[in-house]
């Protein structure tokens, strides 16, 4: 086990400004919190967070990351609460520890193979801060090192598989090549131990054949290139047993040659030199047929560029050579960034994600000022998405802001149509609740349910929107049809004329309809009058035409009730009628705007009222207005709020009690949405002003049965 002072020394060796005191406190805190807990290995549990911290010091991370590593399992596995951490170590550490704890929780989900990509995105999205991800990867690395102590073979296998599919690729993507190799190797040992053993035996055999063969090959290649006047950097690397195995699997071949084991990378300054080097190699050494690939002229889908070839090289061994520019090399080292951007359809331009990754790599390589950088590094990938689990553990990716209704439609349109309620992480919630990363969502359905038009206000996915709209359209049409039919029946009856569907058929075309139902719907919608249809069906009859009400009559000016001198609003033209908008219910204290309607006067709206949007191109109708001083104002205004309240005995009682206690007076109350678990209620309350309303809303929010309170705008 690393001793306390050793750990602090290590951090201070690369970060002289590290918070030594906090490191010491975290060490002691974690040691005490884990107490006598033991690992599967029989070691004291504390050895685990300590080793994780050790791995992170190898990566030269800031002291906040090291402290987080020490504390990372205390909230999940001991009596410690997040508040304890916050009190002891502050906001930043608490946030980081909370992040790692949340990641540990989603780990318990059973993830299907095909969803690995989504799961990786979820991990990234939930990490938010790069340090959370780094601690998690180090945690996984140590758990993999001690995997063989776990007795249950199924559990070992599950962890190993998850490591291969989720964590090793993540490590690779953020440039932790060493961690990635280690994770893969340990998982490989668990899952295909025999294959790994035989590959290692072959590797040892090949290595034994020549001493420093790699060095000699590099030297000779360097000399060849420099003779031709091209400065190069050459990197020789032995492939890992896992990558050799993958290659053998992909190509379905045995490995026999050094070419299967060694890769040489020639790094040059520009593309021209890449092709020059290729020419030199092909001129100097016998080419292995069928191995040349030009990924420069045709990059791989993830943006990877290089020239690949294989030759019988300096030592008369087959060797694989990759030739690339420095820039191509950097991009290939952080393959993901390119990959992510490609996925997002942004091509390979230097988006912010890519820059972020590049900077991160530079920091990890040079570690000049890790603290400053890491502190301001937030993971922005996938912040526009949210990833949720179905009860079976399937991952569903949705746009941010999605609700259980979106989730239901994403699963299946029939599930969406029949949705009556939802549970998130086992708790019943209103359908308009916004989903969070890692939420487990269960949709409650009922055969008799149909989509509610109100859902359209809060769903965000196109799928949900179009289904709901389609349903609302069909529903509206059937309402219009019924209305149209009864209008026709009434009109025909008044004139003493029989009516049947058959009689309408000859006049359908005249009214732009194909079926009788179309005609009914158009009449219901007000596109045609029943009277005109009657005239068309009985053209020979003289039926008195009913005069329509004139437009003037319909827009009759509202009665003017307010008198000139007691107007509560400043900025009005004297004599103008004043109304308060029924959409936004403005209150003294709200910022307001007047809207002039000819023959109607001025209507006062709140500044942010949606209705104003449709008058944006008519500035001459807008009036600058403001509230009078408080003493001039009448002391009663109607405000409107929307309350979501649990459907429980007595919940309405507590609503009215709270409003009464805060001296509000309920003048109207209407339930707009009723489900088995929640009501949405629109409440009209008489209040003095905005402050009064704010006070009432705060009191309501503090009431347990009340789920949410918002000002209503309808
Ligand atoms: Mn752990």
């Amino acid at each position: 086990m690393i001793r306390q002072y050793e750990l602090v020394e290590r951090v201070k060796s690369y970060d002289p400004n590290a918070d030594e005191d906090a490191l010491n406190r975290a060490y002691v805190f974690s040691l005490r919190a884990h107490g006598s807990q033991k690992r599967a290995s029989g070691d004291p549990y504390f050895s685990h967070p300590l080793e994780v911290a050790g791995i992170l010091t190898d990566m030269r991370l800031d002291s906040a990351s090291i402290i987080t590593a020490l504390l990372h399992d205390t909230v999940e596995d001991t009596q410690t609460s997040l508040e304890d951490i916050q009190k002891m170590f502050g906001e930043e550490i608490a946030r980081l520890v909370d992040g790692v704890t949340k990641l540990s929780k989603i780990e318990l989900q059973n993830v299907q193979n095909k969803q690995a990509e989504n799961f990786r995105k979820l991990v990234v999205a939930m990490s938010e801060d790069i340090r959370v991800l780094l601690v998690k990867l180090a945690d996984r690395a140590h758990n993999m090192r001690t995997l063989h102590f776990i007795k249950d073979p199924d559990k070992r296998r599950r962890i190993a598989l998850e490591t291969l599919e989720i964590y090793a690729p993540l490590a690779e993507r953020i440039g932790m090549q060493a961690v990635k190799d280690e994770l893969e190797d340990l998982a490989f040992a668990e899952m295909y131990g025999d294959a790994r053993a035989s590959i290692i035996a072959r590797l040892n055999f090949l290595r034994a054949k020549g001493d420093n063969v790699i060095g000699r090959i590099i030297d000779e290649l360097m000399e060849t290139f420099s003779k031709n006047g091209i400065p190069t950097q050459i990197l020789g690397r032995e492939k890992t047993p896992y990558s050799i195995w993958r290659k053998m699997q992909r190509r379905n071949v045995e490995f026999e040659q050094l070419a299967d084991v060694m890769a040489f990378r020639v790094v040059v300054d520009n593309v021209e030199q890449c092709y020059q080097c290729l020419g030199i190699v092909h001129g100097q050494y016998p080419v292995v047929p069928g191995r040349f690939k030009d990924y420069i002229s045709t990059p791989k889908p993830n943006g990877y560029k290089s020239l690949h070839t294989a030759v019988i090289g300096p030592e008369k061994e087959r060797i694989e050579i990759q030739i690339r520019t420095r820039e191509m090399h950097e991009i290939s080292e952080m393959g993901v960034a390119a990959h992510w951007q490609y996925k997002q359809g942004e091509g390979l331009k230097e988006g912010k994600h890519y820059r972020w990754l590049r900077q991160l790599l530079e920091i990890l390589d040079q570690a000049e000022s890790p603290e400053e950088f890491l502190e301001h590094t937030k993971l922005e990938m996938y912040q526009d998405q949210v990833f949720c689990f179905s009860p079976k553990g399937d991952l569903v990716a949705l746009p941010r802001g999605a609700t259980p209704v979106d989730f239901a439609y994403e699963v299946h349109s029939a599930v969406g149509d029949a949705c009556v309620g939802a549970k998130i992480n086992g708790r019943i919630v209103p359908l308009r609740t916004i989903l969070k990363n890692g939420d487990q969502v269960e949709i409650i359905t009922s055969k008799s349910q149909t989509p509610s038009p109100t859902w359209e206000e809060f769903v965000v996915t196109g799928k949900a929107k179009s289904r709901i709209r389609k349903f609302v359209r069909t529903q509206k049409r059937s309402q219009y049809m019924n209305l149209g039919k009864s209008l026709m029946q009434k009109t025909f009856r008044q004139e003493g004329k029989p009516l049947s569907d058959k009689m309408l058929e000859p006049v359908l075309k005249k009214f732009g309809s194909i079926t009788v139902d179309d005609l009914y719907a158009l009449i219901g919608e007000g596109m045609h009058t029943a009277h005109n249809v009657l005239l068309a069906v009985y053209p020979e009859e003289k039926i008195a035409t009913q005069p329509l009400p004139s437009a003037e009559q319909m827009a009759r000016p509202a009665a003017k009730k307010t008198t000139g001198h007691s107007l509560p609003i400043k900025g009005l033209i004297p004599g103008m009628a004043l109304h308060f908008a029924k959409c936004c219910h403005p209150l003294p204290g709200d910022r307001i705007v007047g809207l002039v309607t000819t023959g109607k006067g001025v209507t006062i709206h709140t500044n942010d009222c949606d209705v104003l949007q449709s008058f944006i191109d008519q500035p001459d109708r807008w009036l600058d207005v403001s509230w009078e001083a408080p003493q001039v104002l009448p002391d009663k205004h109607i405000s409107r709020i929307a309350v979501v309240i649990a459907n429980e005995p007595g919940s309405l009682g507590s609503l009215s009690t709270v409003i009464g206690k805060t001296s509000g007076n309920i003048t109207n109350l209407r339930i707009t949405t009723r489900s088995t678990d929640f009501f949405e209620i629109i409440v009209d309350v008489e209040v003095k002003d905005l402050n009064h309303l704010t006070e009432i809303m705060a009191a309501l929010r503090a009431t347990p049965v009340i789920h949410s309170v918002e000002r209503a705008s309808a």
Side-chain angles (χ1 to χ4, degrees):
M1 256 194 345
I2 313 165
R3 287 163 196 276
Q4 187 171 349
Y5 74 88
E6 279 175 333
L7 184 75
V8 176
E9 288 296 300
R10 271 203 218 176
V11 180
K12 288 191 78 180
S13 71
Y14 60 82
D15 184 6
N17 302 320
D19 188 345
E20 196 175 329
D21 170 58
L23 281 166
N24 280 318
R25 280 190 290 122
Y27 187 102
V28 175
F29 185 90
S30 177
L31 176 68
R32 289 208 183 127
H34 288 293
S36 57
Q37 288 175 348
K38 291 264 192 294
R39 298 269 292 171
S41 60
D43 286 335
Y45 194 94
F46 177 63
S47 65
H48 165 67
L50 191 54
E51 288 297 330
V52 175
I55 292 171
L56 294 176
T57 60
D58 293 340
M59 291 158 49
R60 319 181 85 195
L61 290 191
D62 67 331
S63 43
S65 303
I66 309 298
I67 291 166
T68 304
L70 288 170
L71 302 173
H72 82 271
D73 278 332
T74 55
V75 174
E76 180 81 349
D77 295 340
T78 77
Q79 299 296 316
T80 310
S81 71
L82 203 58
E83 289 75 52
D84 297 336
I85 302 279
Q86 197 198 327
K87 265 181 222 146
M88 290 278 296
F89 301 97
E91 196 67 52
E92 183 189 17
I93 302 289
R95 184 171 52 75
L96 293 173
V97 171
D98 188 38
V100 182
T101 307
K102 280 186 185 145
L103 284 185
S104 307
K105 282 185 183 148
I106 61 162
E107 221 164 58
L108 302 171
Q109 303 275 354
N110 207 2
V111 173
Q112 318 275 323
N113 280 9
K114 56 182 168 26
Q115 297 184 305
E117 180 61 30
N118 262 348
F119 200 94
R120 287 195 290 268
K121 287 181 187 170
L122 171 65
V123 171
V124 172
M126 282 189 74
S127 297
E128 283 174 1
D129 187 311
I130 180 70
R131 291 174 292 185
V132 170
L133 190 54
L134 295 171
V135 173
K136 187 67 219 163
L137 287 169
D139 174 49
R140 179 51 66 121
H142 184 248
N143 284 336
M144 286 303 293
R145 285 178 194 172
T146 52
L147 185 70
H148 56 282
F149 289 115
I150 292 176
K151 291 212 172 65
D152 178 357
D154 287 342
K155 189 175 176 190
R156 285 203 308 268
R157 216 184 145 72
R158 178 183 69 75
I159 295 173
L161 185 67
E162 193 183 71
T163 301
L164 278 184
E165 294 201 326
I166 314 293
Y167 293 98
L170 281 177
E172 183 178 29
R173 287 171 186 200
I174 62 169
M176 296 165 80
Q177 189 65 36
V179 171
K180 178 222 162 201
D181 286 347
E182 185 183 359
L183 288 176
E184 278 185 350
D185 192 48
L186 290 164
F188 185 34
E190 173 58 41
M191 296 185 64
Y192 309 98
D194 294 346
R196 179 173 173 273
S198 78
I199 289 173
I200 288 173
R202 286 294 298 165
L203 276 174
N204 287 338
F205 174 76
L206 285 175
R207 276 194 212 112
K209 273 169 72 177
D211 54 318
N212 195 23
V213 62
I214 298 175
R216 288 203 307 274
I217 292 174
I218 290 178
D219 287 347
E220 188 178 325
L221 285 175
M222 288 274 261
E223 211 186 300
T224 309
F225 292 129
S226 70
K227 253 193 268 169
N228 289 274
I230 304 174
T232 57
Q233 189 193 350
I234 299 181
L235 311 159
R237 188 166 158 262
E238 195 172 88
K239 293 174 191 165
T240 64
Y242 181 68
S243 71
I244 292 168
W245 184 74
R246 285 279 304 270
K247 196 164 190 173
M248 285 163 63
Q249 275 203 320
R250 270 204 308 274
R251 299 222 181 118
N252 198 19
V253 290
E254 298 287 317
F255 88 88
E256 280 304 326
Q257 301 284 341
L258 194 61
D260 298 314
V261 181
M262 295 294 167
F264 293 88
R265 284 180 186 153
V266 179
V267 179
V268 294
D269 291 333
N270 55 49
V271 173
E272 207 187 347
Q273 290 174 347
C274 289
Y275 289 102
Q276 283 172 352
C277 284
L278 181 75
I280 293 162
V281 169
H282 282 184
Q284 187 100 359
Y285 307 104
V287 179
V288 178
R291 297 291 292 273
F292 171 63
K293 295 264 162 44
D294 184 347
Y295 292 119
I296 292 180
S297 64
T298 314
K300 286 190 185 182
N302 66 4
Y304 175 86
K305 289 182 186 175
S306 263
L307 298 174
H308 286 193
T309 189
V311 295
I312 308 296
E315 295 284 312
K316 309 294 169 234
E317 287 274 12
R318 266 169 56 163
I319 57 170
E320 197 174 274
I321 297 180
Q322 300 166 356
I323 305 167
R324 49 177 76 161
T325 66
R326 195 159 311 282
E327 194 188 341
M328 291 173 198
H329 182 63
E330 275 174 26
I331 292 174
S332 88
E333 287 296 292
M334 30 188 177
V336 218
H339 185 66
W340 272 332
Q341 299 217 339
Y342 180 79
K343 284 246 161 182
Q344 292 167 349
E346 287 177 22
L348 278 170
K349 62 179 188 286
E350 270 212 25
K352 60 182 173 183
H353 301 162
Y354 177 74
R355 266 205 311 279
W356 163 77
L357 220 55
R358 173 189 292 257
Q359 281 170 319
L360 174 70
L361 283 175
E362 279 168 7
I363 292 290
L364 290 177
D365 281 350
Q366 297 154 18
E368 271 190 354
S369 166
E371 284 192 0
E372 187 195 350
F373 179 73
L374 288 176
E375 223 171 84
H376 298 107
T377 308
K378 299 264 184 271
L379 291 181
E380 285 174 339
M381 264 83 67
Y382 313 123
Q383 293 304 316
D384 53 346
Q385 278 174 287
V386 57
F387 303 87
C388 300
F389 292 99
S390 76
K392 277 191 219 147
D394 288 340
L395 256 182
V396 178
L398 293 162
R400 191 147 284 260
T403 62
V405 176
D406 293 293
F407 183 95
Y409 276 107
E410 193 63 31
V411 171
H412 197 278
S413 51
V415 177
D417 286 348
C419 167
V420 282
K423 284 183 183 176
I424 294 180
N425 305 324
R427 269 193 64 212
I428 299 250
V429 296
L431 286 174
R432 58 168 70 231
T433 308
I434 290 180
L435 299 173
K436 293 200 291 292
N437 270 319
D439 277 349
Q440 192 185 59
V441 186
E442 189 184 334
I443 300 297
I444 304 161
T445 57
S446 157
K447 282 200 184 105
S448 57
Q449 175 72 6
T450 54
S452 157
T454 57
W455 292 352
E456 217 194 311
E457 292 162 21
F458 59 77
V459 296
V460 298
T461 52
K463 215 172 179 176
K465 275 207 173 109
S466 67
R467 280 296 291 200
I468 296 164
R469 268 189 207 145
K470 190 174 164 212
F471 180 82
V472 170
R473 263 205 312 274
T474 4
Q475 203 183 33
K476 261 195 193 146
R477 184 178 145 87
S478 79
Q479 282 172 356
Y480 284 141
M481 266 163 47
N482 290 336
L483 179 64
K485 193 167 184 173
S486 66
L487 281 172
M488 288 275 283
Q489 283 164 346
K490 198 173 151 205
T491 308
F492 277 62
R493 206 169 41 238
Q494 277 173 353
E495 296 298 329
K497 299 285 175 195
L499 168 69
S500 73
D501 285 3
K502 205 156 181 67
M503 294 161 65
L504 293 174
E505 272 162 19
V507 303
L508 287 178
K509 219 174 174 183
K510 187 174 179 194
F511 294 97
S513 312
I514 295 167
T515 66
V516 174
D517 281 348
D518 287 345
L519 180 59
Y520 284 145
L522 288 173
I523 291 166
E525 244 181 294
M527 305 301 279
H528 301 299
T529 66
H531 199 78
N532 284 342
V533 179
L534 178 74
L535 289 176
V537 175
Y538 298 100
E540 71 284 2
E541 304 284 325
K542 281 252 180 246
I543 296 167
T545 42
Q546 289 173 355
L548 282 171
S550 71
E552 234 170 297
Q553 273 173 300
M554 287 178 81
R556 196 174 309 143
K560 200 167 78 176
K561 278 194 185 135
T562 39
T563 50
H565 63 275
S566 69
L567 282 181
I569 302 289
K570 282 192 276 197
L572 291 179
I573 299 152
M576 243 183 187
L578 174 69
H579 310 269
F580 290 97
K582 292 278 186 289
C583 41
C584 51
H585 293 270
L587 290 180
D590 278 329
R591 302 211 296 156
I592 48 172
V593 154
L595 202 61
V596 181
T597 308
T598 316
K600 191 165 184 274
V602 181
T603 307
I604 306 297
H605 291 266
T606 61
N607 259 10
D608 56 357
C609 181
D610 291 339
V611 170
L612 296 176
Q613 286 302 318
S614 39
F615 296 96
I616 227 126
D617 53 347
Q618 303 172 48
D620 48 321
R621 295 183 57 182
W622 293 57
L623 210 57
D624 262 336
V625 291
S626 60
W627 297 98
E628 275 292 351
Q631 58 273 19
V632 188
L633 289 176
D635 53 341
K636 294 269 184 285
H637 296 267
I638 303 290
S639 63
R640 179 168 285 185
I641 51 177
V643 182
V644 177
I645 188 166
N647 184 0
E648 282 173 26
S651 60
L652 281 176
S654 17
L655 173 82
S656 55
T657 310
V658 172
I659 292 179
K661 269 189 185 160
T662 40
S663 318
N665 181 26
I666 298 178
T667 60
N668 195 9
L669 195 141
R670 180 165 54 93
I671 296 177
T672 54
T673 315
R674 189 196 291 264
S675 72
T676 46
D677 311 285
F678 287 90
F679 287 145
E680 191 185 79
I681 308 175
I682 300 292
V683 189
D684 288 349
V685 194
E686 246 176 26
V687 296
K688 283 202 282 292
D689 55 15
L690 184 61
N691 281 341
H692 187 195
L693 178 66
T694 310
E695 196 185 305
I696 293 175
M697 286 172 65
L700 286 172
R701 286 193 178 113
T703 311
V705 290
I706 289 172
H707 184 272
S708 68
V709 185
E710 300 298 336
R711 270 183 88 172
S713 56

